Amino acid sequence: MKRTLPGTRALKTFEAAGRHLNFTRAAEEVGLTPAAVSYQVKEIEEQLGLVLFARTSRRIQLTPAGVVLFEAVGEALHTLQRAVSRAGQLQRGSAQLSLSLGARFATNWFLPRLPAFQAAHPGLNLRFDITDEVRDFEVDDVDLAIRFGDGRYDGLRSVQLFDTIVVAVCSPKRLEAGSSFQRPADLMRQTLCYRQWRRGDLVWPNWRMWMTAAGVRDFDDSGCVAFADTSHVVQAVIDSGAIGLADLAMIANDLAEGRLIRLFDVGVKMAGDHTYHLVYAEGRSEDAGIMSFRDWMLAEADDQRQKLKRVALEEDWSQPAPRPDRI
C-alpha cells in the first residue's frame, strides 16, 4: 500500500523529538509547545501506521521502527539543507558573498574598512551574518567566515589574518591630567581591568601574564577587574580612567584616532596561535569572488601590521611617561 509521506515541518519535529528523546526540549527547538510536538508525532504514527516511540510516564524511547525512520529523516533533512544552501549560492553567483563574522570583529575591525572594500570591488556585494555561532558551510548558506581559533577546521581552507597580541592602554585624559607611568610597576597602584576568557586550558592574557612579561615580580592580581568582553574593557578605560589590557589588532582604530594610548613596549601573545582566521570551503578555492575577498583581507591585515610596526619604531619609550599623541 502506498503511504503518503508526512510534510517537512512534521518530519523536522519528529527528528528533534528523536534526537532529544524529550518532547519539551524538542518543542523549544522547533518553536512549538510540548503538547503540539506530541500531537504531531502521534499524527505521523497514525499516517504511517507505525509506532515510533515507546512512551512511559517518565520518558520516551524510539522503537526499532522509529530508529530506522529517525536515521533516514536525519539524512534526508541534511541533504535537503545542503541542496538549499548550494542553490542559494548558485543563484547569487560570484557577484555576492555571504560573510559570517562575530559582532566584536565586525564592529572593531571590519565595518570601518567596509567603504574601502566597496571602493576597491564595486561589483562584489557582501551579505552579513553577524553571529558568534559557528556556521556549517554546507547547510547555512555561508561563503566565508571569520573565526577565532587555531585555524584547523575539517574541510575548510583557513588563512590567518594577524597575531593576537594584548597590550596595556589608558585614555589620553589620564596623561593630560598629569599621570606619570615611568615603569610598568607604576601600574600596580592603578585600577586594572582585562578580559576574562577561557577555552579549555587556553586563557586570554591577563595582568599577571603582562606583568611577568614586563619583568614585574610579586604582582597581586586580586584587585583587577574582569570583564566578559574587550569592548567593556575599552569603555572602562575611556570612561573611568582605568588601565586596561586590549587586543592590539582590535583597538588599532582607537589608537590611531587618539581615543586610547598604548603604555610601554610590552605585549603578550595569545598562546596556541589562537587568533582570527578567514575560512572558506575547500571546494571553493577557485571561486573568483572568494579569492578577491581573501586577497583584500590579507592586504588590509598586512597594511595594519606595517602601520603598527612603524608606530612602534617611532616610539621613544625612554621618556618618563607616554605622550598624549602616542599610538
Side-chain angles (χ1 to χ4, degrees):
M1 181 182 297
K2 184 177 179 180
R3 298 180 180 181
T4 303
L5 292 176
T8 304
R9 182 184 177 92
L11 291 176
K12 288 179 67 175
T13 301
F14 164 70
E15 192 275 338
R19 182 160 28 87
H20 291 291
L21 294 178
N22 184 293
F23 286 166
T24 299
R25 288 200 292 271
E28 292 172 354
E29 179 178 317
V30 300
L32 296 173
T33 65
V37 170
S38 179
Y39 180 77
Q40 279 203 3
V41 169
K42 185 177 180 180
E43 273 198 326
I44 295 173
E45 291 179 319
E46 291 177 352
Q47 183 178 353
L48 298 179
L50 299 171
V51 177
L52 303 176
F53 288 97
R55 299 165 174 83
T56 68
S57 59
R58 294 185 177 182
R59 51 184 278 181
I60 61 172
Q61 196 71 32
L62 284 165
T63 64
V67 170
V68 171
L69 188 62
F70 171 74
E71 293 176 350
V73 168
E75 292 176 5
L77 290 175
H78 184 70
T79 300
L80 184 59
Q81 288 173 330
R82 291 176 58 187
V84 170
S85 176
R86 184 57 182 150
Q89 292 169 353
L90 290 173
Q91 179 167 298
R92 289 199 310 273
S94 59
Q96 186 181 70
L97 296 175
S98 177
L99 173 66
S100 181
L101 69 170
R104 180 169 174 261
F105 188 92
T107 301
N108 295 328
W109 199 93
F110 186 79
L111 292 182
R113 292 171 170 79
L114 181 57
F117 172 80
Q118 293 171 329
H121 300 280
L124 187 57
N125 298 317
L126 295 178
R127 187 182 70 180
F128 299 103
D129 172 44
I130 308 296
T131 179
D132 290 320
E133 294 182 9
V134 177
R135 295 304 195 192
D136 185 334
F137 279 72
E138 290 190 338
V139 301
D140 287 324
D141 195 12
V142 169
D143 298 303
L144 307 111
I146 307 296
R147 290 185 181 174
F148 184 84
D150 60 10
R152 293 191 286 269
Y153 306 106
D154 291 339
L156 300 178
R157 288 283 181 92
S158 176
V159 183
Q160 180 176 323
L161 297 175
F162 34 68
D163 290 327
T164 297
I165 299 174
V166 173
V167 300
V169 293
C170 74
S171 71
K173 293 180 181 178
R174 287 298 307 269
L175 304 182
E176 292 166 1
S179 295
S180 177
F181 306 121
Q182 299 183 19
R183 52 199 178 94
D186 291 340
L187 301 182
M188 296 172 67
R189 297 188 294 272
Q190 307 299 317
T191 299
L192 305 179
C193 58
Y194 67 103
R195 180 191 185 195
Q196 189 172 54
W197 180 92
R198 175 183 291 273
R199 180 180 293 174
D201 294 332
L202 193 66
V203 178
W204 191 266
N206 53 40
W207 275 106
R208 180 177 293 279
M209 298 176 186
W210 190 91
M211 288 293 183
T212 298
V216 178
R217 299 178 181 273
D218 302 323
F219 172 67
D220 180 8
D221 62 357
S222 60
C224 295
V225 180
F227 290 100
D229 193 85
T230 299
S231 62
H232 302 150
V233 173
V234 170
Q235 205 61 47
V237 169
I238 294 174
D239 292 345
S240 68
I243 309 298
L245 288 181
D247 180 355
L248 186 58
M250 292 295 103
I251 60 168
N253 287 337
D254 294 304
L255 294 172
E257 295 174 11
R259 289 188 293 271
L260 294 175
I261 306 296
R262 179 176 175 180
L263 297 174
F264 306 107
D265 192 14
V266 178
V268 180
K269 183 179 177 182
M270 189 77 178
D273 291 326
H274 269 62
T275 189
Y276 289 96
H277 295 80
L278 174 66
V279 298
Y280 52 92
E282 285 273 7
R284 306 198 55 197
S285 58
E286 301 300 323
D287 185 289
I290 288 178
M291 291 302 99
S292 294
F293 184 82
R294 183 198 65 173
D295 293 345
W296 178 83
M297 285 285 288
L298 290 176
E300 286 293 311
D302 184 63
D303 181 63
Q304 176 175 282
R305 274 194 299 270
Q306 297 305 320
K307 286 180 180 177
L308 290 172
K309 187 180 297 183
R310 286 195 296 273
V311 169
L313 291 173
E314 293 169 0
E315 291 285 6
D316 180 8
W317 298 102
S318 63
Q319 295 295 321
R323 299 187 303 274
D325 61 345
R326 291 193 172 181
I327 299 180

